[in-house]
mmCIF file of all heavy atoms in Angstrom:
data_model
loop_
_atom_site.group_PDB
_atom_site.id
_atom_site.type_symbol
_atom_site.label_atom_id
_atom_site.label_comp_id
_atom_site.label_asym_id
_atom_site.label_seq_id
_atom_site.Cartn_x
_atom_site.Cartn_y
_atom_site.Cartn_z
ATOM 1 N N TYR A 22 2.908 -13.543 -16.870
ATOM 2 C CA TYR A 22 3.796 -12.397 -16.804
ATOM 3 C C TYR A 22 3.363 -11.514 -15.649
ATOM 4 O O TYR A 22 2.173 -11.255 -15.450
ATOM 5 C CB TYR A 22 3.745 -11.626 -18.105
ATOM 6 C CG TYR A 22 4.671 -10.438 -18.132
ATOM 7 C CD1 TYR A 22 6.016 -10.602 -18.350
ATOM 8 C CD2 TYR A 22 4.199 -9.162 -17.956
ATOM 9 C CE1 TYR A 22 6.915 -9.523 -18.377
ATOM 10 C CE2 TYR A 22 5.037 -8.028 -17.975
ATOM 11 C CZ TYR A 22 6.394 -8.255 -18.180
ATOM 12 O OH TYR A 22 7.259 -7.163 -18.204
ATOM 13 N N ARG A 23 4.335 -11.061 -14.849
ATOM 14 C CA ARG A 23 3.996 -10.316 -13.658
ATOM 15 C C ARG A 23 4.135 -8.799 -13.872
ATOM 16 O O ARG A 23 5.093 -8.340 -14.481
ATOM 17 C CB ARG A 23 4.927 -10.729 -12.512
ATOM 18 C CG ARG A 23 4.806 -12.202 -12.172
ATOM 19 C CD ARG A 23 5.781 -12.603 -11.102
ATOM 20 N NE ARG A 23 5.609 -14.005 -10.777
ATOM 21 C CZ ARG A 23 5.957 -14.572 -9.611
ATOM 22 N NH1 ARG A 23 6.484 -13.815 -8.674
ATOM 23 N NH2 ARG A 23 5.790 -15.865 -9.428
ATOM 24 N N THR A 24 3.183 -8.105 -13.363
ATOM 25 C CA THR A 24 3.277 -6.629 -13.340
ATOM 26 C C THR A 24 3.200 -6.188 -11.888
ATOM 27 O O THR A 24 2.487 -6.795 -11.087
ATOM 28 C CB THR A 24 2.171 -5.967 -14.150
ATOM 29 O OG1 THR A 24 0.885 -6.366 -13.641
ATOM 30 C CG2 THR A 24 2.250 -6.340 -15.623
ATOM 31 N N PHE A 25 3.913 -5.149 -11.552
ATOM 32 C CA PHE A 25 3.953 -4.639 -10.172
ATOM 33 C C PHE A 25 3.078 -3.442 -10.005
ATOM 34 O O PHE A 25 3.091 -2.527 -10.849
ATOM 35 C CB PHE A 25 5.391 -4.266 -9.791
ATOM 36 C CG PHE A 25 6.390 -5.386 -9.836
ATOM 37 C CD1 PHE A 25 7.757 -5.141 -9.993
ATOM 38 C CD2 PHE A 25 5.971 -6.722 -9.750
ATOM 39 C CE1 PHE A 25 8.673 -6.166 -10.030
ATOM 40 C CE2 PHE A 25 6.883 -7.758 -9.803
ATOM 41 C CZ PHE A 25 8.235 -7.495 -9.940
ATOM 42 N N ALA A 26 2.300 -3.377 -8.940
ATOM 43 C CA ALA A 26 1.531 -2.224 -8.630
ATOM 44 C C ALA A 26 2.435 -1.162 -8.069
ATOM 45 O O ALA A 26 3.228 -1.408 -7.151
ATOM 46 C CB ALA A 26 0.427 -2.575 -7.605
ATOM 47 N N ASP A 27 2.369 0.046 -8.609
ATOM 48 C CA ASP A 27 3.190 1.178 -8.181
ATOM 49 C C ASP A 27 2.484 1.856 -7.015
ATOM 50 O O ASP A 27 1.574 2.669 -7.204
ATOM 51 C CB ASP A 27 3.385 2.113 -9.379
ATOM 52 C CG ASP A 27 4.315 3.289 -9.077
ATOM 53 O OD1 ASP A 27 4.723 3.462 -7.922
ATOM 54 O OD2 ASP A 27 4.665 4.045 -10.026
ATOM 55 N N LEU A 28 2.928 1.531 -5.819
ATOM 56 C CA LEU A 28 2.214 1.980 -4.613
ATOM 57 C C LEU A 28 3.034 2.959 -3.791
ATOM 58 O O LEU A 28 4.280 2.919 -3.807
ATOM 59 C CB LEU A 28 1.918 0.747 -3.701
ATOM 60 C CG LEU A 28 0.993 -0.320 -4.291
ATOM 61 C CD1 LEU A 28 0.898 -1.474 -3.310
ATOM 62 C CD2 LEU A 28 -0.384 0.233 -4.600
ATOM 63 N N GLU A 29 2.331 3.800 -3.093
ATOM 64 C CA GLU A 29 2.954 4.720 -2.123
ATOM 65 C C GLU A 29 2.240 4.496 -0.790
ATOM 66 O O GLU A 29 1.136 4.945 -0.562
ATOM 67 C CB GLU A 29 2.709 6.146 -2.579
ATOM 68 C CG GLU A 29 3.904 7.062 -2.457
ATOM 69 C CD GLU A 29 3.556 8.503 -2.891
ATOM 70 O OE1 GLU A 29 3.070 8.687 -3.999
ATOM 71 O OE2 GLU A 29 3.772 9.398 -2.054
ATOM 72 N N ARG A 30 2.899 3.732 0.095
ATOM 73 C CA ARG A 30 2.376 3.556 1.461
ATOM 74 C C ARG A 30 2.659 4.823 2.253
ATOM 75 O O ARG A 30 3.763 5.376 2.167
ATOM 76 C CB ARG A 30 3.039 2.354 2.121
ATOM 77 C CG ARG A 30 2.539 1.044 1.606
ATOM 78 C CD ARG A 30 3.484 -0.143 1.870
ATOM 79 N NE ARG A 30 4.109 -0.176 3.138
ATOM 80 C CZ ARG A 30 3.767 -0.966 4.167
ATOM 81 N NH1 ARG A 30 2.747 -1.796 4.049
ATOM 82 N NH2 ARG A 30 4.431 -0.953 5.306
ATOM 83 N N ARG A 31 1.701 5.239 3.055
ATOM 84 C CA ARG A 31 1.839 6.468 3.829
ATOM 85 C C ARG A 31 1.557 6.206 5.262
ATOM 86 O O ARG A 31 0.554 5.598 5.642
ATOM 87 C CB ARG A 31 0.917 7.546 3.254
ATOM 88 C CG ARG A 31 1.179 7.847 1.761
ATOM 89 C CD ARG A 31 0.127 8.796 1.198
ATOM 90 N NE ARG A 31 0.358 10.178 1.658
ATOM 91 C CZ ARG A 31 1.182 11.006 1.092
ATOM 92 N NH1 ARG A 31 1.904 10.636 0.020
ATOM 93 N NH2 ARG A 31 1.325 12.240 1.571
ATOM 94 N N VAL A 32 2.478 6.700 6.125
ATOM 95 C CA VAL A 32 2.382 6.413 7.567
ATOM 96 C C VAL A 32 1.060 6.971 8.093
ATOM 97 O O VAL A 32 0.660 8.101 7.757
ATOM 98 C CB VAL A 32 3.567 7.067 8.296
ATOM 99 C CG1 VAL A 32 3.348 6.971 9.812
ATOM 100 C CG2 VAL A 32 4.868 6.408 7.911
ATOM 101 N N GLY A 33 0.390 6.175 8.904
ATOM 102 C CA GLY A 33 -0.859 6.556 9.503
ATOM 103 C C GLY A 33 -2.101 6.264 8.694
ATOM 104 O O GLY A 33 -3.203 6.474 9.156
ATOM 105 N N GLU A 34 -1.913 5.783 7.463
ATOM 106 C CA GLU A 34 -3.049 5.525 6.574
ATOM 107 C C GLU A 34 -3.248 4.044 6.253
ATOM 108 O O GLU A 34 -4.129 3.690 5.508
ATOM 109 C CB GLU A 34 -2.905 6.346 5.269
ATOM 110 C CG GLU A 34 -2.895 7.845 5.521
ATOM 111 C CD GLU A 34 -2.733 8.637 4.236
ATOM 112 O OE1 GLU A 34 -2.894 8.083 3.159
ATOM 113 O OE2 GLU A 34 -2.393 9.850 4.343
ATOM 114 N N TYR A 35 -2.396 3.180 6.798
ATOM 115 C CA TYR A 35 -2.514 1.745 6.548
ATOM 116 C C TYR A 35 -3.926 1.250 6.934
ATOM 117 O O TYR A 35 -4.453 1.652 7.989
ATOM 118 C CB TYR A 35 -1.460 1.002 7.390
ATOM 119 C CG TYR A 35 -1.569 -0.503 7.373
ATOM 120 C CD1 TYR A 35 -0.947 -1.246 6.364
ATOM 121 C CD2 TYR A 35 -2.277 -1.209 8.354
ATOM 122 C CE1 TYR A 35 -1.018 -2.610 6.341
ATOM 123 C CE2 TYR A 35 -2.338 -2.573 8.320
ATOM 124 C CZ TYR A 35 -1.742 -3.278 7.321
ATOM 125 O OH TYR A 35 -1.820 -4.661 7.294
ATOM 126 N N PRO A 36 -4.586 0.450 6.102
ATOM 127 C CA PRO A 36 -4.084 -0.234 4.896
ATOM 128 C C PRO A 36 -4.381 0.499 3.596
ATOM 129 O O PRO A 36 -4.388 -0.100 2.524
ATOM 130 C CB PRO A 36 -4.893 -1.541 4.917
ATOM 131 C CG PRO A 36 -6.217 -1.133 5.489
ATOM 132 C CD PRO A 36 -5.920 -0.068 6.515
ATOM 133 N N LYS A 37 -4.581 1.800 3.654
ATOM 134 C CA LYS A 37 -4.733 2.599 2.440
ATOM 135 C C LYS A 37 -3.346 2.914 1.884
ATOM 136 O O LYS A 37 -2.336 2.974 2.564
ATOM 137 C CB LYS A 37 -5.452 3.896 2.766
ATOM 138 C CG LYS A 37 -6.775 3.732 3.523
ATOM 139 C CD LYS A 37 -7.800 2.951 2.729
ATOM 140 C CE LYS A 37 -9.121 2.895 3.521
ATOM 141 N NZ LYS A 37 -10.117 2.037 2.854
ATOM 142 N N ALA A 38 -3.340 3.120 0.570
ATOM 143 C CA ALA A 38 -2.114 3.518 -0.132
ATOM 144 C C ALA A 38 -2.489 4.292 -1.355
ATOM 145 O O ALA A 38 -3.648 4.248 -1.804
ATOM 146 C CB ALA A 38 -1.245 2.292 -0.514
ATOM 147 N N LEU A 39 -1.507 5.013 -1.927
ATOM 148 C CA LEU A 39 -1.717 5.669 -3.237
ATOM 149 C C LEU A 39 -1.199 4.748 -4.324
ATOM 150 O O LEU A 39 -0.122 4.185 -4.232
ATOM 151 C CB LEU A 39 -0.954 7.015 -3.248
ATOM 152 C CG LEU A 39 -1.424 8.094 -2.280
ATOM 153 C CD1 LEU A 39 -0.524 9.318 -2.430
ATOM 154 C CD2 LEU A 39 -2.865 8.448 -2.553
ATOM 155 N N HIS A 40 -2.003 4.603 -5.368
ATOM 156 C CA HIS A 40 -1.615 3.797 -6.530
ATOM 157 C C HIS A 40 -1.370 4.705 -7.703
ATOM 158 O O HIS A 40 -2.220 5.487 -8.093
ATOM 159 C CB HIS A 40 -2.724 2.782 -6.879
ATOM 160 C CG HIS A 40 -2.413 1.989 -8.118
ATOM 161 N ND1 HIS A 40 -3.230 1.991 -9.217
ATOM 162 C CD2 HIS A 40 -1.359 1.218 -8.400
ATOM 163 C CE1 HIS A 40 -2.719 1.213 -10.121
ATOM 164 N NE2 HIS A 40 -1.554 0.737 -9.673
ATOM 165 N N HIS A 41 -0.169 4.614 -8.260
ATOM 166 C CA HIS A 41 0.210 5.386 -9.447
ATOM 167 C C HIS A 41 -0.043 4.514 -10.683
ATOM 168 O O HIS A 41 0.679 3.565 -10.958
ATOM 169 C CB HIS A 41 1.679 5.785 -9.395
ATOM 170 C CG HIS A 41 1.998 6.742 -8.294
ATOM 171 N ND1 HIS A 41 2.193 8.101 -8.480
ATOM 172 C CD2 HIS A 41 2.115 6.525 -6.937
ATOM 173 C CE1 HIS A 41 2.438 8.669 -7.313
ATOM 174 N NE2 HIS A 41 2.404 7.747 -6.363
ATOM 175 N N GLY A 42 -1.144 4.800 -11.395
ATOM 176 C CA GLY A 42 -1.514 3.994 -12.549
ATOM 177 C C GLY A 42 -1.642 4.862 -13.815
ATOM 178 O O GLY A 42 -1.375 6.034 -13.789
ATOM 179 N N ALA A 43 -2.105 4.214 -14.895
ATOM 180 C CA ALA A 43 -2.242 4.895 -16.158
ATOM 181 C C ALA A 43 -3.216 6.063 -16.111
ATOM 182 O O ALA A 43 -3.095 7.051 -16.849
ATOM 183 C CB ALA A 43 -2.666 3.902 -17.218
ATOM 184 N N GLU A 44 -4.190 5.971 -15.197
ATOM 185 C CA GLU A 44 -5.222 7.000 -15.074
ATOM 186 C C GLU A 44 -4.840 8.063 -14.051
ATOM 187 O O GLU A 44 -5.679 8.894 -13.721
ATOM 188 C CB GLU A 44 -6.556 6.367 -14.732
ATOM 189 C CG GLU A 44 -7.050 5.303 -15.705
ATOM 190 C CD GLU A 44 -7.204 5.859 -17.101
ATOM 191 O OE1 GLU A 44 -7.687 6.971 -17.250
ATOM 192 O OE2 GLU A 44 -6.791 5.154 -18.060
ATOM 193 N N GLY A 45 -3.648 7.967 -13.507
ATOM 194 C CA GLY A 45 -3.225 8.944 -12.489
ATOM 195 C C GLY A 45 -3.065 8.304 -11.158
ATOM 196 O O GLY A 45 -2.893 7.093 -11.013
ATOM 197 N N VAL A 46 -3.115 9.107 -10.120
ATOM 198 C CA VAL A 46 -2.889 8.640 -8.743
ATOM 199 C C VAL A 46 -4.249 8.536 -8.027
ATOM 200 O O VAL A 46 -5.066 9.461 -8.103
ATOM 201 C CB VAL A 46 -1.961 9.594 -7.962
ATOM 202 C CG1 VAL A 46 -1.727 9.101 -6.549
ATOM 203 C CG2 VAL A 46 -0.651 9.782 -8.690
ATOM 204 N N ARG A 47 -4.454 7.434 -7.320
ATOM 205 C CA ARG A 47 -5.748 7.257 -6.614
ATOM 206 C C ARG A 47 -5.503 6.476 -5.347
ATOM 207 O O ARG A 47 -4.516 5.753 -5.202
ATOM 208 C CB ARG A 47 -6.747 6.547 -7.497
ATOM 209 C CG ARG A 47 -6.326 5.153 -7.933
ATOM 210 C CD ARG A 47 -7.329 4.467 -8.800
ATOM 211 N NE ARG A 47 -8.603 4.276 -8.150
ATOM 212 C CZ ARG A 47 -9.504 3.367 -8.495
ATOM 213 N NH1 ARG A 47 -9.261 2.573 -9.532
ATOM 214 N NH2 ARG A 47 -10.642 3.287 -7.893
ATOM 215 N N ASP A 48 -6.450 6.605 -4.416
ATOM 216 C CA ASP A 48 -6.421 5.834 -3.176
ATOM 217 C C ASP A 48 -6.892 4.387 -3.437
ATOM 218 O O ASP A 48 -7.863 4.182 -4.167
ATOM 219 C CB ASP A 48 -7.323 6.458 -2.122
ATOM 220 C CG ASP A 48 -6.780 7.764 -1.607
ATOM 221 O OD1 ASP A 48 -5.567 7.860 -1.380
ATOM 222 O OD2 ASP A 48 -7.597 8.703 -1.376
ATOM 223 N N VAL A 49 -6.182 3.446 -2.838
ATOM 224 C CA VAL A 49 -6.596 2.058 -2.893
ATOM 225 C C VAL A 49 -6.485 1.454 -1.486
ATOM 226 O O VAL A 49 -5.770 1.992 -0.629
ATOM 227 C CB VAL A 49 -5.769 1.229 -3.874
ATOM 228 C CG1 VAL A 49 -5.931 1.760 -5.290
ATOM 229 C CG2 VAL A 49 -4.318 1.185 -3.483
ATOM 230 N N THR A 50 -7.197 0.368 -1.258
ATOM 231 C CA THR A 50 -7.073 -0.397 -0.012
ATOM 232 C C THR A 50 -6.286 -1.671 -0.330
ATOM 233 O O THR A 50 -6.661 -2.428 -1.221
ATOM 234 C CB THR A 50 -8.452 -0.758 0.546
ATOM 235 O OG1 THR A 50 -9.212 0.427 0.736
ATOM 236 C CG2 THR A 50 -8.325 -1.493 1.869
ATOM 237 N N VAL A 51 -5.232 -1.857 0.412
ATOM 238 C CA VAL A 51 -4.346 -3.028 0.192
ATOM 239 C C VAL A 51 -4.833 -4.182 0.998
ATOM 240 O O VAL A 51 -5.027 -4.106 2.231
ATOM 241 C CB VAL A 51 -2.890 -2.687 0.600
ATOM 242 C CG1 VAL A 51 -1.977 -3.883 0.378
ATOM 243 C CG2 VAL A 51 -2.398 -1.472 -0.203
ATOM 244 N N TRP A 52 -5.034 -5.349 0.332
ATOM 245 C CA TRP A 52 -5.545 -6.565 0.956
ATOM 246 C C TRP A 52 -4.564 -7.726 0.816
ATOM 247 O O TRP A 52 -4.959 -8.872 1.116
ATOM 248 C CB TRP A 52 -6.892 -6.941 0.355
ATOM 249 C CG TRP A 52 -8.035 -6.200 0.941
ATOM 250 C CD1 TRP A 52 -8.702 -5.094 0.425
ATOM 251 C CD2 TRP A 52 -8.714 -6.496 2.193
ATOM 252 N NE1 TRP A 52 -9.698 -4.700 1.262
ATOM 253 C CE2 TRP A 52 -9.737 -5.544 2.341
ATOM 254 C CE3 TRP A 52 -8.525 -7.476 3.150
ATOM 255 C CZ2 TRP A 52 -10.604 -5.558 3.439
ATOM 256 C CZ3 TRP A 52 -9.378 -7.478 4.241
ATOM 257 C CH2 TRP A 52 -10.388 -6.537 4.401
ATOM 258 N N CYS A 53 -3.329 -7.466 0.403
ATOM 259 C CA CYS A 53 -2.417 -8.610 0.159
ATOM 260 C C CYS A 53 -1.050 -8.377 0.801
ATOM 261 O O CYS A 53 -0.069 -9.040 0.451
ATOM 262 C CB CYS A 53 -2.304 -8.887 -1.314
ATOM 263 S SG CYS A 53 -1.797 -7.462 -2.315
ATOM 264 N N SER A 54 -0.967 -7.448 1.718
ATOM 265 C CA SER A 54 0.348 -7.119 2.281
ATOM 266 C C SER A 54 0.812 -8.209 3.292
ATOM 267 O O SER A 54 0.010 -8.823 3.977
ATOM 268 C CB SER A 54 0.239 -5.784 3.061
ATOM 269 O OG SER A 54 1.461 -5.495 3.716
ATOM 270 N N ASN A 55 2.132 -8.416 3.285
ATOM 271 C CA ASN A 55 2.760 -9.257 4.298
ATOM 272 C C ASN A 55 3.113 -8.483 5.587
ATOM 273 O O ASN A 55 3.651 -9.055 6.509
ATOM 274 C CB ASN A 55 3.965 -9.946 3.748
ATOM 275 C CG ASN A 55 3.622 -11.118 2.856
ATOM 276 O OD1 ASN A 55 2.503 -11.654 2.917
ATOM 277 N ND2 ASN A 55 4.563 -11.593 2.072
ATOM 278 N N ASP A 56 2.887 -7.163 5.567
ATOM 279 C CA ASP A 56 3.003 -6.361 6.781
ATOM 280 C C ASP A 56 1.761 -6.661 7.587
ATOM 281 O O ASP A 56 0.841 -5.833 7.735
ATOM 282 C CB ASP A 56 3.139 -4.892 6.433
ATOM 283 C CG ASP A 56 3.413 -4.025 7.657
ATOM 284 O OD1 ASP A 56 3.482 -4.546 8.766
ATOM 285 O OD2 ASP A 56 3.554 -2.785 7.459
ATOM 286 N N TYR A 57 1.664 -7.918 8.082
ATOM 287 C CA TYR A 57 0.441 -8.466 8.565
ATOM 288 C C TYR A 57 -0.260 -7.665 9.673
ATOM 289 O O TYR A 57 -1.481 -7.647 9.757
ATOM 290 C CB TYR A 57 0.687 -9.883 9.093
ATOM 291 C CG TYR A 57 1.076 -10.889 8.033
ATOM 292 C CD1 TYR A 57 2.170 -11.756 8.243
ATOM 293 C CD2 TYR A 57 0.341 -11.062 6.852
ATOM 294 C CE1 TYR A 57 2.544 -12.696 7.318
ATOM 295 C CE2 TYR A 57 0.710 -12.008 5.909
ATOM 296 C CZ TYR A 57 1.800 -12.815 6.134
ATOM 297 O OH TYR A 57 2.153 -13.808 5.211
ATOM 298 N N LEU A 58 0.528 -7.038 10.497
ATOM 299 C CA LEU A 58 -0.013 -6.345 11.658
ATOM 300 C C LEU A 58 0.123 -4.815 11.558
ATOM 301 O O LEU A 58 -0.180 -4.108 12.517
ATOM 302 C CB LEU A 58 0.703 -6.809 12.966
ATOM 303 C CG LEU A 58 0.558 -8.293 13.265
ATOM 304 C CD1 LEU A 58 1.374 -8.686 14.493
ATOM 305 C CD2 LEU A 58 -0.921 -8.705 13.427
ATOM 306 N N GLY A 59 0.576 -4.352 10.397
ATOM 307 C CA GLY A 59 0.745 -2.916 10.229
ATOM 308 C C GLY A 59 1.895 -2.318 11.008
ATOM 309 O O GLY A 59 1.961 -1.086 11.202
ATOM 310 N N MET A 60 2.825 -3.145 11.439
ATOM 311 C CA MET A 60 3.920 -2.617 12.286
ATOM 312 C C MET A 60 4.896 -1.739 11.503
ATOM 313 O O MET A 60 5.627 -0.965 12.103
ATOM 314 C CB MET A 60 4.703 -3.787 12.907
ATOM 315 C CG MET A 60 3.882 -4.577 13.928
ATOM 316 S SD MET A 60 3.255 -3.566 15.299
ATOM 317 C CE MET A 60 4.787 -3.122 16.116
ATOM 318 N N GLY A 61 4.871 -1.832 10.157
ATOM 319 C CA GLY A 61 5.693 -0.936 9.363
ATOM 320 C C GLY A 61 5.261 0.534 9.496
ATOM 321 O O GLY A 61 6.000 1.437 9.097
ATOM 322 N N HIS A 62 4.101 0.748 10.101
ATOM 323 C CA HIS A 62 3.564 2.101 10.282
ATOM 324 C C HIS A 62 3.442 2.479 11.739
ATOM 325 O O HIS A 62 3.002 3.567 12.078
ATOM 326 C CB HIS A 62 2.190 2.246 9.620
ATOM 327 C CG HIS A 62 2.155 2.044 8.160
ATOM 328 N ND1 HIS A 62 2.041 3.064 7.238
ATOM 329 C CD2 HIS A 62 2.296 0.924 7.398
ATOM 330 C CE1 HIS A 62 2.053 2.587 6.043
ATOM 331 N NE2 HIS A 62 2.217 1.286 6.110
ATOM 332 N N HIS A 63 3.830 1.565 12.625
ATOM 333 C CA HIS A 63 3.642 1.800 14.031
ATOM 334 C C HIS A 63 4.519 2.949 14.484
ATOM 335 O O HIS A 63 5.713 2.987 14.162
ATOM 336 C CB HIS A 63 3.963 0.549 14.832
ATOM 337 C CG HIS A 63 3.521 0.605 16.275
ATOM 338 N ND1 HIS A 63 4.225 1.313 17.222
ATOM 339 C CD2 HIS A 63 2.418 0.083 16.907
ATOM 340 C CE1 HIS A 63 3.593 1.215 18.369
ATOM 341 N NE2 HIS A 63 2.506 0.470 18.195
ATOM 342 N N PRO A 64 3.995 3.913 15.250
ATOM 343 C CA PRO A 64 4.804 5.065 15.648
ATOM 344 C C PRO A 64 6.106 4.736 16.335
ATOM 345 O O PRO A 64 7.150 5.378 16.055
ATOM 346 C CB PRO A 64 3.855 5.834 16.589
ATOM 347 C CG PRO A 64 2.485 5.430 16.183
ATOM 348 C CD PRO A 64 2.591 3.994 15.726
ATOM 349 N N ALA A 65 6.107 3.721 17.212
ATOM 350 C CA ALA A 65 7.352 3.391 17.910
ATOM 351 C C ALA A 65 8.389 2.832 16.974
ATOM 352 O O ALA A 65 9.610 3.080 17.136
ATOM 353 C CB ALA A 65 7.026 2.358 19.041
ATOM 354 N N VAL A 66 7.977 2.079 15.960
ATOM 355 C CA VAL A 66 8.887 1.480 15.000
ATOM 356 C C VAL A 66 9.458 2.551 14.075
ATOM 357 O O VAL A 66 10.653 2.613 13.795
ATOM 358 C CB VAL A 66 8.159 0.372 14.200
ATOM 359 C CG1 VAL A 66 9.107 -0.241 13.131
ATOM 360 C CG2 VAL A 66 7.652 -0.715 15.142
#
């Protein structure tokens, strides 16, 4: 059974993100993104 991580990606902080979990909101490091080069955060994009 699949559960989804409730994440908040923030521009300029890749690969860090905020995780909304049962214990509240915390910083996490994302190691499984398909945004392989971080271009989703690139200023020009």
Side-chain angles (χ1 to χ4, degrees):
Y22 182 77
R23 300 178 179 203
T24 58
F25 299 157
D27 185 352
L28 298 175
E29 223 183 305
R30 285 160 40 104
R31 302 174 73 86
V32 172
E34 298 179 16
Y35 174 85
K37 309 297 183 186
L39 295 178
H40 176 238
H41 295 257
E44 304 301 319
V46 181
R47 61 180 301 202
D48 289 321
V49 298
T50 303
V51 179
W52 278 99
C53 55
S54 176
N55 282 343
D56 186 358
Y57 293 132
L58 300 176
M60 294 302 293
H62 298 255
H63 192 282
V66 178

